[in-house]
Amino acid sequence: MRRFNRRYQLGFGARNSSLKLISELRCKFRVEKSDKKNANSGQFEIYNLSEESRNRFQEDDTIILLSAGYEENVQGVFAGDVTKVEHRFDRQNGDVITLIQSGDGEKSLQKSTVSKSYIKGTSLKSVVSDVINSFSNISFSQSLDSVIPAAAELVTGGTFEGQSDNILSELLGSFGLSFSIQDNELIVAGNSALDDTNIQLINPSTGLIGSPSKTEDGIALQMLLEPSIRPGSIFRLESQSITGTYKCTKAVYEGDNFDKPWYLSMEAKTV
């Protein structure tokens, strides 16, 4: 794929309403994603929004969606809840700059709770499903059949009560599983069989910048912005210093459509 003519589209406004879309104004962004349960974050600077557009951030339950890439490949990079907005006036250049902070599923992670009692012998898959359904505005499309044994059940009756994310972490952890929120979708991850049909190749010709480095847990690298890679993505790295197959555990997307940055920085572990 050719990586020419960088493109972005930003949508924002009240959830479940028609969003305001922009793609030509100057936009700086930094999105951090990981495979942990903590909310992914997005920081944005938008230059010279109209007053009407700036007012959209005053609406209740405001969300923000970022797609980015290139002329031939623009894909979703981030979806999240707007948590803070500030407007600044740059007297030197005459720009009005809107600064936005957001978190992927942050409000749901903070506010969702569960309180439900179960009898001995209840299917553990049923309990996990109830906890997942307690998250508001978070989708879930995976099948629990592939990650939780059908015979798993509660050995004693009891009540699960508290923050939904903490209870889900405890339940999944008993099977060596974990979860994260990626673009308002809950993803359960664990030691599943490697799907070699979706492995991406990363080398200098596909966007690798410089030499990757080894870390305590795996490797770190930087490449031209690639929106299809996110935590959990499997890729094949081919460089002069390091070659192997890895899984992305953290991804940082940085861009400025009027300046140089248009990068993806990654941390990954061997698979």
Side-chain angles (χ1 to χ4, degrees):
M1 184 198 74
R2 296 188 305 166
R3 288 177 169 81
F4 300 118
N5 300 324
R6 60 181 70 174
R7 296 283 187 271
Y8 86 92
Q9 184 178 78
L10 201 66
F12 52 88
R15 192 186 305 274
N16 300 322
S17 70
S18 296
L19 301 182
K20 174 68 176 181
L21 301 178
I22 62 169
S23 59
E24 301 297 331
L25 297 177
R26 184 177 187 180
C27 176
K28 298 181 181 180
F29 60 83
R30 178 183 172 87
V31 170
E32 295 190 23
K33 291 184 171 185
S34 80
D35 59 0
K36 309 300 183 185
K37 74 171 186 176
N38 298 331
N40 296 329
S41 64
Q43 299 179 342
F44 306 87
E45 294 183 17
I46 311 172
Y47 285 65
N48 300 315
L49 281 172
S50 67
E51 183 177 1
E52 182 273 332
S53 294
R54 295 197 299 272
N55 289 338
R56 296 293 297 270
F57 287 104
Q58 307 306 316
E59 298 173 350
D60 293 334
D61 200 14
T62 305
I63 61 173
I64 189 165
L65 309 178
L66 171 68
S67 296
Y70 308 89
E71 187 173 34
E72 298 179 354
N73 180 32
V74 177
Q75 298 182 36
V77 171
F78 181 81
D81 305 312
V82 173
T83 57
K84 183 178 180 180
V85 179
E86 181 181 353
H87 306 291
R88 296 179 181 174
F89 180 66
D90 184 342
R91 295 183 181 278
Q92 181 175 356
N93 298 310
D95 293 318
V96 177
I97 306 172
T98 300
L99 297 91
I100 305 152
Q101 295 182 19
S102 58
D104 186 356
E106 182 168 343
K107 293 180 180 178
S108 182
L109 286 171
Q110 291 176 345
K111 297 180 180 180
S112 296
T113 60
V114 64
S115 178
K116 194 167 183 178
S117 298
Y118 299 90
I119 63 172
K120 176 184 176 180
T122 300
S123 163
L124 200 55
K125 185 173 66 175
S126 176
V127 179
V128 170
S129 180
D130 286 343
V131 177
I132 289 175
N133 289 333
S134 72
F135 289 99
S136 59
N137 299 313
I138 298 294
S139 63
F140 180 72
S141 59
Q142 289 176 272
S143 171
L144 291 176
D145 293 335
S146 62
V147 292
I148 297 180
E153 59 183 34
L154 298 181
V155 296
T156 61
T159 299
F160 290 89
E161 184 172 15
Q163 287 287 125
S164 299
D165 60 334
N166 293 332
I167 293 174
L168 185 58
S169 290
E170 183 178 348
L171 288 169
L172 293 176
S174 63
F175 293 96
L177 305 172
S178 62
F179 81 93
S180 64
I181 306 295
Q182 304 294 337
D183 302 328
N184 282 327
E185 181 177 5
L186 192 149
I187 304 294
V188 175
N191 298 318
S192 57
L194 182 62
D195 179 5
D196 60 6
T197 62
N198 295 312
I199 295 178
Q200 300 194 51
L201 176 63
I202 297 178
N203 59 29
S205 65
T206 62
L208 179 66
I209 299 173
S211 298
S213 59
K214 292 185 177 182
T215 66
E216 183 177 345
D217 299 321
I219 61 166
L221 64 87
Q222 186 179 64
M223 64 180 297
L224 296 177
L225 192 145
E226 175 49 65
S228 65
I229 294 179
R230 68 177 188 174
S233 294
I234 306 295
F235 63 91
R236 175 72 178 174
L237 174 65
E238 295 181 353
S239 71
Q240 289 186 343
S241 58
I242 301 175
T243 296
T245 302
Y246 297 89
K247 176 186 285 188
C248 174
T249 57
K250 181 178 179 180
V252 178
Y253 312 81
E254 293 183 271
D256 181 345
N257 64 319
F258 275 38
D259 207 340
K260 185 177 180 180
W262 206 255
Y263 303 134
L264 166 61
S265 301
M266 252 197 298
E267 295 178 9
K269 63 182 181 181
T270 304
V271 295

